[in-house]
């Protein structure tokens, strides 16, 4: 097995269906198949339908009769197919999978799924965008959700992450305000799914604790290449509780096995128009190909007695725990290997709640977590219209459930007990309580005392810029240039000159030089102030230090008749063996034929796809019916890929399409001519992904 095969294997590039787990077996009892030989249409009450095409009328040309109950039921059910979309994170996509534990965490937690190395727990994971509506684009510059529901033997555990380790506010009291500020203008309802407007940037300068997360948002982290290549952090501080009742502070981190990679701003904007479902298409293709998305779960642990050991407050969600000070310990792996069978029933009705925890995981006094613990379930009671959220199959625990809750909309359980209260004697006081020592949930008995107050938990909550400066110091030169461009784009869309000027003054606290460049680009005066005196950096922050692989990168193969069959077939086979995804692109669908009779099927045309949708190009060329048009299409693809620093492989028949000038250094362009190991050289270029030194 060569190096690429080893890499492919280590990343779990599978070609088989996953083994059924307990959650899938549970869900299958709800499956209903309505089509097939002999199946007859019925109403939902069970009677057979004789005519589902024409309404009942008073005479052939007469009015509709009120007694046409079949039309009424069909139309009224249709009118109620939609439920209110989520206020935030409305646009989402979910998949099933499993979590495999690497090492026991028994010493710090009694959480069931973290006890036995090698054990697997079924999961459902939902990725989402924060700002846009349900029909918005995937690639917006936005906060993204990464929520995972663990179906453990002790009940459901919901782990709610973002693609940043920090949040935009330090207290849940402001959650409504930031959401209102980031959403479309209440008068015009525009713009959609973007922060390039006055209200958001006015909020930022008026609420300076937002500075740190906005730096992450404006960086490449705000534009993931794929959900498969996006890290996740539950931004709250939790407690692990072990069997002895000892507490350890914990934060979690999801680390994608493929590394963390991003789109350029120009790419993200174009893709949002030509393929608003880009991230959905990407993850669907990966799962169907058996290239299952994988993420390792890491934990950062701080002993109870070390709570005040750090310069930052560990309960402040606008601050990260630097990995150089609080190392990330990898404890397990999440694999997403199964798509939902019905988007609405499973994804749209899925409910996540940070207060859904199991014994061994508890809350801290993190001010954001305290508010979230109330807000999420309350929101879904309204949105899903029922208290029976966990009777919906996707949310249903695999563990036994016994409770005295009753009724409400959409009741699926048929509770047959005559006793539905506690305490009681008629049913032997069942369902009975379970003491903590036998697995019942009990909160950590933290000592609480003090006066009622609206003060912040500590003075360090007022330190708005130190970690924002740490973030800036940690970026590579390329990442800093990209971040400034993103600021220019968003602040350049702000109409209020006062808000633009105040932002420049505000961001000078992070880096004066950065703020000066932004000022020069958005038509305001350079700032008067300067940045905070922080020189620390964190290598873990920079994407320059992330792993790079060729596997699942997508290559556009630009081709027509007359290509060198042996050369091209060998290259395509090499790409496929290394797990690279490909589209064969030509003037029209069908087959293209090489000079030696080799045939290759075309699955995209220049009309149906766009250069921004590919991570690399393989320029084969050939002889098209309309040579001038074919050449122009290839040049459009090549110019865009070259502009975005992407790898370009060039077959011997494709060389005429690469224009060399004294100003082009052709970094990342790999030619097949006189290159005996072209396939592997091209693979190495694809793995590198961007050639930032290109001119």
């Amino acid at each position: 097995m060569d190096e690429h095969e080893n890499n492919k294997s280590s990343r779990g590039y599978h070609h088989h269906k996953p083994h059924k787990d307990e959650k899938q077996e549970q869900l299958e009892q709800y499956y209903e198949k309505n089509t097939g030989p002999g199946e007859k249409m019925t109403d939902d009450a069970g009677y057979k339908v004789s005519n589902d095409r024409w309404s009942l009328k008073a005479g052939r040309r007469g009015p509709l009769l009120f007694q046409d109950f079949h039309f009424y039921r069909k139309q009224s059910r249709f009118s109620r197919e939609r439920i209110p979309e989520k206020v935030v994170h409305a646009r989402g996509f979910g998949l099933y999978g499993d979590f495999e534990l690497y090492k026991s965490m028994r010493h710090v937690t009694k959480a069931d799924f973290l006890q036995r190395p090698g054990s697997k727990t079924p999961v459902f994971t939902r990725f989402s965008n924060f700002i846009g509506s349900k029909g918005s684009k995937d690639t917006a510059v936005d906060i993204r959700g990464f929520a995972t529901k663990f179906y453990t033997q002790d009940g459901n555990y919901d782990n709610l992450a973002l693609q940043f380790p920090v949040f935009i506010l330090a207290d849940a009291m402001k959650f409504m305000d930031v959401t209102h500020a980031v959403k479309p203008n209440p008068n015009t309802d525009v713009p959609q799914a973007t922060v390039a407007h006055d209200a958001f940037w006015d909020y930022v300068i008026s609420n300076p604790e937002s500075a740190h997360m906005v730096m992450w948002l404006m960086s490449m982290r705000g534009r993931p290449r794929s959900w498969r290549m996006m890290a996740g952090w539950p931004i709250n501080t939790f407690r692990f509780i072990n069997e002895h009742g000892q507490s350890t502070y914990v934060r979690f981190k999801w680390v994608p096995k493929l590394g963390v990679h991003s789109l350029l701003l120009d790419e993200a904007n174009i893709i949002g128009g030509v393929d608003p479902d880009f991230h959905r298409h990407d993850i669907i293709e990966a799962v169907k190909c058996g290239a299952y998305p994988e993420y390792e779960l890491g934990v950062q642990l701080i002993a109870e007695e070390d709570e005040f050991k750090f310069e930052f407050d560990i309960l402040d969600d606008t601050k990260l725990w630097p990995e150089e000070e609080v190392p990330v310990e990898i404890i397990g792996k999440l694999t997403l290997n199964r798509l939902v069978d019905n988007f609405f029933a499973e994804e749209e009705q899925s409910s996540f709640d940070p207060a859904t925890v199991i014994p061994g995981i508890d809350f801290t006094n993190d001010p954001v977590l305290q508010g979230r613990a109330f807000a999420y379930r309350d929101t879904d009671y309204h949105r899903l219209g029922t208290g029976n959220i966990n009777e919906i199959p996707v949310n249903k625990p695999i563990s036994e459930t016994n409770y005295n809750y009753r009724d409400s909309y959409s009741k699926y359980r048929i509770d047959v007990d005559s006793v539905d209260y506690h305490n009681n004697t008629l049913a032997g006081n069942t369902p009975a309580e379970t003491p903590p020592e036998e697995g019942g949930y009990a909160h950590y008995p933290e000592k609480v005392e003090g006066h009622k107050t609206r003060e912040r938990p500590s003075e360090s909550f007022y330190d708005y810029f130190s970690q924002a400066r740490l973030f800036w110091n940690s970026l590579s030169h390329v990442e800093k240039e990209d971040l400034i461009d993103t600021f220019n784009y968003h602040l350049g869309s702000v109409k209020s000159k006062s808000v633009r000027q105040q932002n420049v003054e505000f961001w000078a606290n992070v880096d004066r030089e950065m703020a000066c460049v932004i000022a020069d680009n958005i038509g305001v005066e350079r700032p008067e102030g300067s940045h905070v005196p922080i020189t620390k950096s964190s290598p873990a922050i920079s994407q320059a230090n992330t792993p790079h692989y060729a596997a699942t990168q997508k290559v556009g193969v630009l081709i027509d008749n007359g290509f060198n069959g042996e050369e091209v077939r060998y290259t395509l086979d090499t790409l496929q063996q290394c797990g690279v995804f490909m589209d064969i692109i030509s003037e029209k669908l069908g087959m293209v034929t090489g000079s030696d009779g080799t045939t290759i099927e075309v699955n995209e045309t220049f009309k149906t796809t766009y250069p921004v949708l590919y991570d690399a190009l393989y320029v084969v060329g050939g002889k098209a019916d309309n040579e001038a048009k074919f050449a122009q299409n290839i040049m459009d693809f090549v110019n865009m890929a070259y502009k975005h620093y992407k790898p370009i492989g060039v077959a011997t028949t494709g060389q005429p399409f690469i224009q060399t000038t004294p100003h082009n250094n052709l970094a990342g362009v790999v030619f097949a001519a006189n290159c005996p190991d072209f396939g592997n050289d091209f693979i190495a270029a694809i793995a590198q992904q961007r050639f930032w030194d290109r001119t």
Side-chain angles (χ1 to χ4, degrees):
M1 183 180 292
D2 64 21
E3 179 183 357
H4 302 302
E5 284 293 317
N6 272 319
N7 286 341
K8 179 178 72 174
S9 177
S10 67
R11 289 186 299 275
Y13 190 70
H14 309 292
H15 290 282
H16 60 273
K17 292 183 178 180
H19 176 72
K20 283 186 183 180
D21 57 37
E22 292 171 279
K23 184 61 185 178
Q24 186 173 356
E25 291 175 353
Q26 181 197 64
L27 287 171
E28 286 182 353
Q29 67 181 301
Y30 297 96
Y31 290 179
E32 294 287 348
K33 188 170 176 60
N34 300 292
T35 59
E39 297 289 352
K40 303 295 185 182
M41 180 183 291
T42 72
D43 179 82
D44 60 3
Y47 72 81
K48 293 183 174 65
V49 176
S50 63
N51 192 318
D52 188 53
R53 292 161 286 133
W54 295 97
S55 56
L56 190 67
K57 298 177 288 293
R60 188 173 185 178
R61 299 174 63 81
L64 175 69
L65 292 178
F66 186 71
Q67 71 185 61
D68 189 354
F69 60 85
H70 181 63
F71 167 77
Y72 165 74
R73 290 184 179 183
K74 183 177 181 180
Q75 179 59 42
S76 61
R77 280 293 299 269
F78 171 70
S79 298
R80 290 161 174 78
E81 280 188 357
R82 296 296 175 265
I83 63 176
E85 72 174 29
K86 293 175 182 284
V87 178
V88 293
H89 295 285
R91 181 167 181 81
F93 191 82
L95 307 88
Y96 293 99
D98 60 63
F99 173 77
E100 180 181 1
L101 185 66
Y102 290 166
K103 60 170 71 172
S104 175
M105 300 302 291
R106 184 184 299 272
H107 59 293
V108 289
T109 180
K110 58 183 177 182
D112 169 73
F113 72 106
L114 298 178
Q115 302 300 299
R116 299 165 295 280
S119 64
K120 290 189 175 182
T121 303
V123 301
F124 180 77
T125 294
R126 182 178 189 265
F127 300 101
S128 59
N129 284 20
F130 179 87
I131 303 172
S133 67
K134 192 170 181 288
S136 59
K137 62 185 180 181
D138 282 347
T139 57
V141 173
D142 199 356
I143 307 167
R144 284 174 173 77
F146 184 152
T148 302
K149 185 183 296 292
F150 294 80
Y151 303 101
T152 85
Q153 296 300 325
D154 277 351
N156 289 351
Y157 164 56
D158 289 351
N159 181 289
L160 284 75
L162 302 178
Q163 93 268 37
F164 312 134
V166 293
F167 204 37
I168 199 167
L169 45 86
D171 191 290
M173 181 69 83
K174 289 188 175 183
F175 192 75
M176 182 188 79
D177 302 298
V178 70
T179 303
H180 283 180
V182 80
K183 285 287 189 175
N185 182 287
N187 303 120
T188 62
D189 201 41
V190 295
Q192 172 65 245
T194 181
V195 294
H197 58 86
D198 291 44
F200 177 75
W201 293 99
D202 178 54
Y203 177 89
V204 170
I205 57 177
S206 304
N207 296 271
E209 71 271 20
S210 64
H212 190 193
M213 201 211 74
V214 172
M215 288 291 288
W216 285 80
L217 179 64
M218 291 293 102
S219 76
M220 289 182 171
R221 298 271 189 170
R223 308 181 303 269
R225 158 61 181 84
S226 163
W227 292 322
R228 301 178 296 113
M229 304 169 193
M230 182 180 83
W233 288 268
I235 48 91
N236 297 124
T237 301
F238 287 88
R239 273 191 168 93
F240 272 161
I241 309 296
N242 67 13
E243 60 187 350
H244 305 295
Q246 295 172 324
S247 166
T248 304
Y249 293 106
V250 60
R251 283 194 181 184
F252 301 92
K253 179 182 181 180
W254 291 109
V255 183
K257 293 293 290 293
L258 290 173
V260 179
H261 303 286
S262 299
L263 298 168
L264 300 180
L265 180 62
D266 188 48
E267 289 177 295
N269 287 337
I270 297 172
I271 292 171
V274 302
D275 185 6
D277 302 303
F278 180 71
H279 286 152
R280 294 187 181 202
H281 285 150
D282 173 87
I283 206 162
I284 291 170
E285 179 180 28
V287 172
K288 286 185 173 181
C289 289
Y292 301 138
E294 295 180 331
Y295 312 81
E296 290 187 313
L297 178 62
V299 293
Q300 291 177 286
L301 303 174
I302 293 178
E304 185 85 11
E305 61 270 20
D306 291 337
E307 178 179 358
F308 302 106
K309 177 181 176 181
F310 305 94
E311 294 177 355
F312 53 89
D313 192 317
I314 69 169
L315 301 183
D316 184 353
D317 292 336
T318 68
K319 311 292 195 304
L320 55 77
W321 296 1
E323 294 183 20
E324 292 75 21
E325 296 182 53
V326 188
V328 174
E329 180 182 359
I330 299 299
I331 65 170
K333 182 179 71 173
L334 168 68
T335 302
L336 301 177
N337 51 30
R338 186 165 64 86
L339 302 171
V340 299
D341 292 291
N342 182 283
F343 184 85
F344 177 82
E346 297 171 275
E347 198 284 340
E348 189 65 24
Q349 291 194 118
S350 65
S351 175
F352 294 88
D353 176 6
T356 297
V357 294
I358 58 175
I361 300 175
D362 201 355
F363 309 133
T364 64
N365 295 329
D366 173 335
V368 175
L369 176 58
Q370 291 287 315
R372 293 178 87 200
F374 159 77
Y376 279 67
R377 178 55 65 91
D378 185 63
T379 297
D380 276 353
Y381 281 155
H382 164 70
R383 192 178 76 88
L384 295 171
T386 178
N388 298 315
I389 290 172
N390 283 335
E391 291 187 32
I392 298 171
V394 67
N395 301 319
K396 188 175 182 180
I398 61 173
S399 57
E400 181 180 348
T401 55
N402 300 297
Y403 45 73
N404 290 319
Y405 303 143
R406 290 295 184 268
D407 306 338
S408 185
Y409 293 102
S410 303
K411 182 67 177 176
Y412 303 110
R413 279 172 57 133
I414 302 175
D415 294 297
V416 298
D417 308 278
S418 60
V419 175
D420 56 4
Y421 52 88
H422 187 261
N423 296 319
N424 68 72
T425 63
L426 293 176
N429 206 23
T430 59
E433 298 166 321
T434 302
E437 58 271 17
E438 296 178 19
Y441 191 92
H443 290 279
Y444 179 69
E446 179 186 12
K447 183 179 180 180
V448 177
E449 61 181 17
H451 300 284
K452 293 179 181 179
T453 180
R454 292 191 186 274
E455 294 176 285
R456 296 196 180 187
S458 69
E459 289 303 307
S460 67
F461 272 69
Y462 292 94
D463 179 5
Y464 304 129
F465 300 109
S466 290
Q467 285 208 350
R469 174 70 178 172
L470 169 75
F471 180 83
W472 172 259
N473 292 343
S474 304
L475 299 182
S476 67
H477 175 74
V478 167
E479 290 171 309
K480 288 181 177 179
E481 291 293 315
D482 176 88
L483 186 146
I484 290 173
D485 286 345
T486 308
F487 266 118
N488 290 339
Y489 172 83
H490 287 86
L491 288 171
S493 298
V494 171
K495 305 306 178 186
S496 167
K497 187 172 183 179
S498 171
V499 171
R500 297 200 306 272
Q501 184 66 60
Q502 289 179 79
N503 263 276
V504 166
E505 302 292 346
F506 181 86
W507 293 109
N509 290 289
V510 177
D511 187 77
R512 175 174 171 76
E513 183 180 352
M514 173 188 78
C516 288
V517 174
I518 295 171
D520 294 344
N521 278 278
I522 64 173
V524 297
E525 298 297 321
R526 289 190 165 198
E528 296 181 359
S530 189
H531 48 256
V532 293
I534 301 296
T535 58
K536 287 183 178 179
S537 64
S538 171
I541 288 174
S542 175
Q543 288 187 205
N545 301 319
T546 197
H548 289 71
Y549 302 106
T552 78
Q553 293 286 297
K554 194 159 192 177
V555 174
V557 181
L558 313 181
I559 195 170
D560 215 306
N561 296 308
F563 57 89
N564 183 320
E566 181 180 2
E567 173 193 314
V568 172
R569 175 51 62 194
Y570 172 77
T571 301
L572 297 185
D573 287 346
T574 301
L575 296 178
Q576 187 174 34
Q577 289 166 11
C578 293
V580 174
F581 294 170
M582 289 176 282
D583 277 342
I584 309 300
I585 307 165
S586 193
E587 289 294 303
K588 54 189 177 183
L589 297 176
M591 307 297 289
V592 289
T593 305
S595 56
D596 61 352
T598 297
T599 58
I600 297 174
E601 184 175 2
V602 175
N603 68 307
E604 293 284 358
T605 71
F606 290 108
K607 284 286 187 183
T608 61
T609 192
Y610 298 84
V612 289
L613 303 180
Y614 300 97
D615 302 297
L617 296 180
Y618 177 34
V619 182
V620 177
K623 299 176 182 178
D625 294 339
N626 186 332
E627 289 287 350
K629 184 179 179 182
F630 180 63
Q632 185 59 55
N633 283 328
I634 289 184
M635 291 309 302
D636 288 344
F637 270 68
V638 169
N639 289 339
M640 183 69 78
Y642 197 87
K643 172 186 174 183
H644 291 151
Y645 311 100
K646 294 178 179 178
I648 301 173
V650 186
T652 52
T653 51
Q655 282 193 228
F657 299 101
I658 305 299
Q659 304 297 320
T660 61
T661 73
H663 305 292
N664 293 345
N665 63 8
L666 299 183
V669 180
V670 184
F671 293 92
N674 302 315
C675 182
D677 202 21
F678 169 73
N680 287 327
D681 288 352
F682 188 29
I683 287 291
I686 295 170
Q688 184 168 327
Q689 301 181 20
R690 306 276 187 181
F691 290 82
W692 302 114
D693 58 341
R694 177 178 289 169
T695 59

